[in-house]
Amino acid sequence: MKVLICDYVGISEQWLENFTVRKNFEVVGTILPATTQNQRALLAEDSWDYLLIFEQNSRQFFSLLIQFMNIPAERVIFALDELSWMTHPLAVYALINPEGGGQGIYRLASFQITRQAGYFVTCTTYDGLHYVATSNDITIMRNMYVNRRNWAERDIKLFHELTKKFCKVDDNDGLFLDLGANIGTTGIYFIKKLAPKLKLLAFEPDAENFKLLRANLILNELEKISTAENFGLGVEESTQTMYKNIFNLGGNSVLAHQEGAESETIKIISLDKYFAEKNLRAEEVKYIWIDTEGFESQVLLGAKNILRRSAAPIFMECNPHLWQKSGFYEGMMELLLEIYSGCVLMWEVTATQKINLYPIEKIWEFQNATTQLGDIFLVKK
């Protein structure tokens, strides 16, 4: 395979050393900022298969140049952009060394080919956890497949650390509630890596996600100490239309959707009713993780009895614009003011590496927000 290099940052030689197997290709020329006009004429020749462009902050210039010279886009790769490589999987296989620095690029291209074929993907993380999911998921599954890291691993660990810092929770027995469990990445990681003596109770309303959740529990040998339920959670029993985000398994939502999105009718129950029917005790609940794409306020209001009797902290998404849209923001805040004393804004922790515990009233300040803000950690009184 023949390659023409256009290097405007001066790193192509070192990059090739780190990322490629030289015997598999031939460099027909290298164009530098000071290159002569005769050398630039290589751009117009048909002597190369791919043009590798090394640039920073000059993408628009090169895009216009490529268009002006009628160079087919399928022959152009922006070498420092992994997503650009993803659209050229054959070039990846010919040029990139999967055992060296190009492992991420190689896996990204492999994922893309699998996605084009419409297959399911399996991955094993560096921690030895195993997952299967549809290759349509270019958010959670692609991230885990390429990086071999558990999705939201940092946040899950931080949840555990904050609980030990602010709450008196015993990990020797009890339940981890994963509400909006998706394919299981949160609950599986928490039980396997942080609190192996706990049991998992997971709720996932999406039918396909639920099948994947059960498969992943089996893959990680948790089926005997976990319970997975194919329901959504809310204030009371009902049915709702849930809109799907096919590119992000965790983005399905009753309250937020794009025009033309696929939908599914799901059953909603209250967590309080479920516990009563299953003869479960609120005191068994040690941790509560809620990721329900704007339905958090209704989930909480349907679990009043449990929250009043359990000492469990909560880690959940902060979606004030959707809480307002649903009409449950005020009711949720009344409940939180009654039961909880403080909150940690996780986006502040990410930005500053500092942990600030605010009074629970802080959440009122976000009622005019127009987007999701991040996650919050709630501490019981």
Side-chain angles (χ1 to χ4, degrees):
M1 183 166 293
K2 296 181 179 181
V3 173
L4 175 64
I5 292 174
C6 187
D7 186 359
Y8 269 53
V9 288
I11 64 171
S12 60
E13 185 174 349
Q14 184 62 50
W15 189 94
L16 291 173
E17 186 69 30
N18 293 337
F19 282 77
T20 63
V21 183
R22 287 182 176 274
K23 65 181 181 181
N24 285 352
F25 73 98
E26 174 188 351
V27 176
V28 299
T30 300
I31 299 174
L32 304 172
T35 298
T36 66
Q37 189 64 35
N38 287 338
Q39 289 173 306
R40 288 197 180 95
L42 284 168
L43 284 169
E45 294 183 4
D46 199 31
S47 61
W48 46 269
D49 299 298
Y50 289 100
L51 172 64
L52 293 188
I53 300 177
F54 293 82
E55 56 80 33
Q56 287 181 342
N57 304 318
S58 53
R59 178 70 62 89
Q60 184 176 7
F61 165 76
F62 282 106
S63 297
L64 291 173
L65 177 64
I66 292 164
Q67 184 178 2
F68 175 76
M69 298 191 68
N70 293 317
I71 299 174
E74 58 269 19
R75 297 178 65 194
V76 179
I77 304 173
F78 289 91
L80 304 182
D81 182 353
E82 287 189 349
L83 294 180
S84 182
W85 281 102
M86 186 177 71
T87 61
H88 300 83
L90 295 181
V92 172
Y93 292 143
L95 303 176
I96 299 297
N97 177 8
E99 303 302 323
Q103 185 180 83
I105 293 176
Y106 196 89
R107 293 176 66 81
L108 195 60
S110 298
F111 187 94
Q112 178 67 3
I113 288 179
T114 304
R115 183 166 180 262
Q116 290 171 348
Y119 294 152
F120 285 81
V121 178
T122 61
C123 75
T124 299
T125 69
Y126 288 117
D127 292 307
L129 300 180
H130 313 287
Y131 297 102
V132 59
T134 170
S135 57
N136 280 332
D137 179 10
I138 59 174
T139 303
I140 295 174
M141 195 58 180
R142 186 174 73 183
N143 182 284
M144 293 201 302
Y145 181 85
V146 172
N147 299 311
R148 297 189 65 190
R149 306 299 303 184
N150 202 90
W151 179 255
E153 176 182 322
R154 178 184 178 278
D155 288 337
I156 301 168
K157 287 181 177 178
L158 195 51
F159 180 29
H160 191 246
E161 292 169 7
L162 290 175
T163 299
K164 297 306 179 185
K165 180 179 179 67
F166 293 111
C167 312
K168 296 180 179 179
V169 174
D170 179 7
D171 288 349
N172 289 324
D173 190 26
L175 295 171
F176 179 94
L177 301 191
D178 193 357
L179 313 183
N182 200 303
I183 64 171
T185 55
T186 298
I188 288 171
Y189 185 90
F190 200 97
I191 300 297
K192 293 290 287 190
K193 299 300 176 182
L194 303 177
K197 294 182 180 181
L198 297 185
K199 295 180 180 180
L200 175 64
L201 176 56
F203 291 83
E204 173 52 49
D206 179 89
E208 183 174 12
N209 282 355
F210 181 69
K211 292 177 183 177
L212 295 170
L213 169 62
R214 291 196 300 172
N216 289 327
L217 290 173
I218 294 171
L219 284 173
N220 291 283
E221 300 179 327
L222 285 177
E223 70 273 21
K224 293 183 179 179
I225 61 167
S226 62
T227 300
E229 299 287 6
N230 190 201
F231 303 124
L233 296 172
V235 178
E236 58 188 6
E237 188 169 337
S238 66
T239 58
Q240 298 278 352
T241 299
M242 183 176 68
Y243 299 93
K244 295 174 175 287
N245 183 337
I246 62 172
F247 301 124
N248 177 6
L249 293 176
N252 299 343
S253 176
V254 171
L255 296 170
H257 67 281
Q258 295 181 345
E259 193 68 29
E262 295 181 15
S263 63
E264 175 184 343
T265 300
I266 62 171
K267 182 179 179 180
I268 301 289
I269 62 172
S270 79
L271 195 60
D272 280 340
K273 181 177 181 181
Y274 178 85
F275 265 58
E277 291 178 348
K278 299 295 183 179
N279 294 315
L280 296 172
R281 297 184 305 109
E283 291 79 6
E284 295 179 67
V285 179
K286 299 299 179 67
Y287 298 87
I288 303 175
W289 179 286
I290 310 176
D291 186 352
T292 52
E293 302 301 313
F295 227 68
E296 296 81 16
S297 57
Q298 298 180 60
V299 172
L300 292 173
L301 289 169
K304 288 181 179 179
N305 296 334
I306 294 170
L307 299 180
R308 286 169 177 149
R309 294 160 51 197
S310 169
I314 294 176
F315 192 103
M316 71 175 189
E317 284 190 342
C318 185
N319 287 295
H321 62 301
L322 295 178
W323 300 340
Q324 289 281 29
K325 179 179 179 179
S326 67
F328 289 94
Y329 198 142
E330 185 173 344
M332 179 195 73
M333 285 306 303
E334 290 178 359
L335 179 66
L336 295 183
L337 289 167
E338 172 193 341
I339 302 174
Y340 291 84
S341 61
C343 64
V344 175
L345 311 180
M346 303 311 300
W347 59 89
E348 282 193 356
V349 179
T350 300
T352 67
Q353 305 304 309
K354 294 181 180 179
I355 298 172
N356 297 311
L357 183 63
Y358 294 101
I360 198 69
E361 290 83 357
K362 180 75 173 178
I363 301 175
W364 269 127
E365 297 180 12
F366 309 130
Q367 56 186 308
N368 294 321
T370 58
T371 62
Q372 179 188 330
L373 297 179
D375 299 304
I376 52 178
F377 173 80
L378 305 181
V379 180
K380 288 288 293 280
K381 288 182 177 179

